[in-house]
Amino acid sequence: MARVLRRETKRRGFLAASARARAPGRRAAAARARAKQAEAQLQFHENQVNTAEENSAFGSWFWDLKSGEFNFSSNAWRLLGIEKRARAGLTDALAERAHPDDRETLITAIRGQVDQGEAYDIEVRFLSEDGYRWIRARGYALRDKSAHVHAVGGSIEDITERVEMLEQLQKNEEHFRSLVSAAPFPLIITNLYTRQVIYTNAMANELFGVASDGGTLKTPDFFVEKADLAQLRADLLAQGYSTGREARLKKINGDEFWAFISCVLIEHNGQPCAYVIMHDQTERKRLEDELRQRAQFDVLTGLYNRQTFADLMADAVRETEETGEVFGLLLIDLDRFKNVNDTLGHEAGDQLLIQAATRLQDLSPESCQIARLGGDEFAILYRRLDSIPAIEELAGALISEISAPYEVIGNMVNVGCSIGIAIYPWHNGLSNELMRYADMALYKAKELGRGQYFVVDDRLTEEVHERGQLQQDMRQAIERGEFRLVYHPRMCARTRKPIAAEALLRWEHPERGPIPPDQFIPIAEETGFITVLSRWVVQTAVFQLRSWMAMGLEPLPVSLNLSAADLMLQDQAQEIGALLGELEVPPSLLQVEMTESSLLSDRERVQEQLAELAGMGVELLIDDFGTGYSSLAYLHQFQVHKLKIDRSFVQRLTHAPDALLTRQIVEIGKGLGLCVVAEGVETASQADLLTAMGCDELQGFYFNKPLDLAEYQALLEEQHEEGAAPASGTAQA
């Protein structure tokens, strides 16, 4: 047993000694295994990093300063454009590949990181096969417990595309700014939500007074009426644009002005913005105000004019029908006024009219409204009249005062006046019929020896009733063939040759003889018969054009006058188009003239009719411009081709203010792309001056009076022969 124990003890000792002998080898092997495992793990992590960075523009690196371990990811080497190498000499290699302008920045960043542990974030350019590329390099440092730097690392990123994109955006921005700045009109761009003004060009700054006082437009608070701004924003949000809106704006210094605004919704820097174009309308508005003043008031005396007085009369009739109050109408005509004009000249006559107007205003009660109807004729609307003696007393006082001497251009002159009086509702009828009563009473007063007044009586009333008979006769006149057309040529201002003609309606009454249009046209308009007359005029003119074409002539375009009632007929344009098509008359041979008031009667319906006419090739003309609403703002809504300046402007061309106003109308009309026609030309000097102002066409008695059918056809034949003569001569040669 003891022997067994001894053997076992020896065996165990031997095993223990063997184990002690093998222990250092095992420890070395374990260390090697651990090192290999760590290296494999490090390689695994490096592979992971390389795989993650492989398809990106990103690379990373790390350097353990204590162990000397240095690692660059594969993508880092590739982005830097250098081959893999040890840390030694790497800084020089990087500096060599960097752009000369960026080397100092790069070297300073690397040294600061390694020596002082300073982090950096820089953008530098490195040379590649395609040239220099932009690299964003970021670095960090790790410190031990003693605050010593023991490791540094960082990342690099290719940002070339981003830099180029930013440069392109900057170029686009600069180009955008240059376009805005060079725009030939005031232009403003505002953010639709923040309402901040993003851009203004030089013309906008000048318009708002920014250039002069050094201020800026920060928000679109330059709208005087906030409702205008709200409507523009609503239009932009609803449909993406807003066209043709007039608004009152204010400058930096608070001064107000009018502008015509159009804008469109655009995107700028990802934000919805309003691209706003403005046109200063201050001068045009001033001209409109002057024209409106001229349209409502007499230029010379400042009293109401004929058109406005007619409106006042209509208002008075409606008021009487509602309240039962009586009003009176006095027509006043100066006696012997013509003698003053003939002996002392028109300047003396104008001064006398001004003084007479002042006397009328001084004597008339406050309830009176006074107008100059034209020439030396005045009218007074005596509202809230309580008795016949009251109006007769006023008439007597006026005759006495008007007869007192006047001093004009250093001369004492004497004139008198005659007055005709009508009273509503005692003298029944429409307002213009009442005017006719008063006019007949005025002539009665003159028959009494002048310096008298006459109140409408029963016998005079009977004469007015004859007007009713005229109305009946007019309805039968078409069937009897009593109406005819005459043609008043329009001349080219430059060549003074006929280029068109206006068709005018004439009535030859079998008993009364020629009846002036200013007598029967108002009756036709009041009774609605005007649409029947207009249809006859259109048909007659188109048939005549067809006849001239069949004769081998080359007819000039013919313009026809249509009233507001005509333009509001729903099928008017279709009827005209059908007639032209049936007779194979080119629409370009037909023109339509209408007054401003007719355009504004029912704007939507009228605009629809005119658009249809213009669409088929019929030219549209505004007649008597300057005597109605006189607004240039509405013209862009209608497809108007020509503007006819009223004859009243032409007649007063010798007066400097009127000549200047006429020139402004011509310039604005031309600026709107319209052909400008002057009517009522009676002298060579008027024709020459209007031509110099830029008028395209002239019309008036200076060239010829309205021609009957035979005379006008002879004119066409003469033009046709003149046009054929050169060709005939060439053939003979």
Side-chain angles (χ1 to χ4, degrees), residues 98 159 214 216 231 249 299 360 364 390 406 515 522 613 654 657 675 700 720:
I159 59 171
T216 58
Q231 187 59 54
L249 309 178
V299 177
L360 292 176
S364 300
Y406 297 84
I515 299 179
L613 287 170
T654 54
C675 174
H720 181 71

Side-chain angles (χ1 to χ4, degrees), residues 96-315:
E96 182 180 337
R97 302 287 293 180
H99 191 281
D101 294 342
D102 299 334
R103 286 172 186 167
E104 185 64 30
T105 300
L106 177 63
I107 294 173
T108 300
I110 294 175
R111 288 176 178 172
Q113 179 191 32
V114 175
D115 298 341
Q116 285 85 34
E118 297 175 351
Y120 63 82
D121 188 342
I122 59 176
E123 293 181 0
V124 294
R125 287 160 289 182
F126 279 94
L127 186 63
S128 69
E129 295 179 357
D130 301 327
Y132 283 101
R133 299 187 65 80
W134 280 96
I135 300 295
R136 180 182 183 184
R138 286 172 285 190
Y140 62 88
L142 299 179
R143 299 177 183 271
D144 56 21
K145 294 181 179 180
S146 302
H148 295 109
V149 177
H150 69 86
V152 292
S155 63
I156 56 176
E157 179 184 3
D158 189 335
I159 59 171
T160 304
E161 291 185 3
R162 189 180 70 188
V163 171
E164 290 176 349
M165 184 181 298
L166 290 175
E167 290 178 350
Q168 185 62 42
L169 287 175
Q170 184 176 1
K171 290 180 181 178
N172 291 342
E173 182 82 358
E174 292 173 353
H175 180 61
F176 183 67
R177 287 179 179 270
S178 67
L179 289 178
V180 171
S181 177
F185 40 72
L187 189 152
I188 297 175
I189 299 177
T190 65
N191 188 296
L192 204 58
Y193 291 142
T194 66
R195 299 179 59 197
Q196 293 297 310
V197 175
I198 300 173
Y199 294 112
T200 58
N201 67 354
M203 293 188 70
N205 291 335
E206 182 179 356
L207 180 62
F208 285 92
V210 173
S212 59
D213 71 3
T216 58
L217 288 176
K218 296 181 179 179
T219 63
D221 287 335
F222 40 76
F223 282 85
V224 174
E225 300 293 339
K226 302 306 177 188
D228 291 331
L229 175 60
Q231 187 59 54
L232 282 173
R233 295 184 76 252
D235 290 346
L236 285 174
L237 292 173
Q239 60 191 20
Y241 63 90
S242 180
T243 58
R245 175 174 296 276
E246 284 191 335
R248 211 154 35 100
L249 309 178
K250 57 185 176 183
K251 299 186 178 184
I252 292 286
N253 61 7
D255 291 345
E256 295 183 1
F257 66 97
W258 282 92
F260 188 80
I261 302 173
S262 296
C263 53
V264 65
L265 187 65
I266 64 172
E267 182 178 320
H268 181 64
N269 290 338
Q271 294 288 323
C273 296
Y275 185 96
V276 185
I277 296 173
M278 296 184 176
H279 296 281
D280 189 358
Q281 300 292 295
T282 304
E283 180 59 23
R284 200 209 71 197
K285 277 290 184 180
R286 185 202 62 76
L287 176 58
E288 281 187 8
D289 291 341
E290 187 172 346
L291 289 173
R292 191 173 293 111
Q293 178 76 10
R294 186 186 183 104
Q296 295 177 348
F297 298 92
D298 176 58
V299 177
L300 181 64
T301 64
L303 301 175
Y304 292 117
N305 62 15
R306 179 182 290 273
Q307 180 60 49
T308 307
F309 192 74
D311 295 338
L312 295 174
M313 287 270 292
D315 290 339

Side-chain angles (χ1 to χ4, degrees), residues 505 529-539 560-563 566 572:
L505 185 61
F529 190 68
I530 189 66
T531 57
V532 178
L533 283 179
S534 296
R535 182 174 287 108
W536 182 89
V537 169
V538 171
Q539 292 175 349
L560 312 175
N561 293 277
L562 295 185
S563 67
D566 298 321
Q572 178 69 274

Side-chain angles (χ1 to χ4, degrees), residues 433 436-437 440 460-468:
E433 290 180 328
R436 200 173 300 278
Y437 274 107
M440 296 180 70
L460 192 60
T461 303
E462 291 178 3
E463 295 179 11
V464 175
H465 287 167
E466 294 181 7
R467 179 178 180 276

Side-chain angles (χ1 to χ4, degrees), residues 308-327 381 383 424-425 429-431 434:
T308 307
F309 192 74
D311 295 338
L312 295 174
M313 287 270 292
D315 290 339
V317 169
R318 286 191 291 268
E319 182 179 327
T320 297
E321 292 173 350
E322 295 173 0
T323 66
E325 291 185 343
V326 176
F327 71 87
L381 187 61
R383 307 185 84 151
Y424 189 84
L430 300 174
S431 58
L434 188 66

Side-chain angles (χ1 to χ4, degrees), residues 360-375:
L360 292 176
Q361 291 174 302
D362 292 342
L363 281 176
S364 300
E366 291 184 0
S367 60
C368 289
Q369 295 169 310
I370 310 171
R372 179 187 174 213
L373 303 183

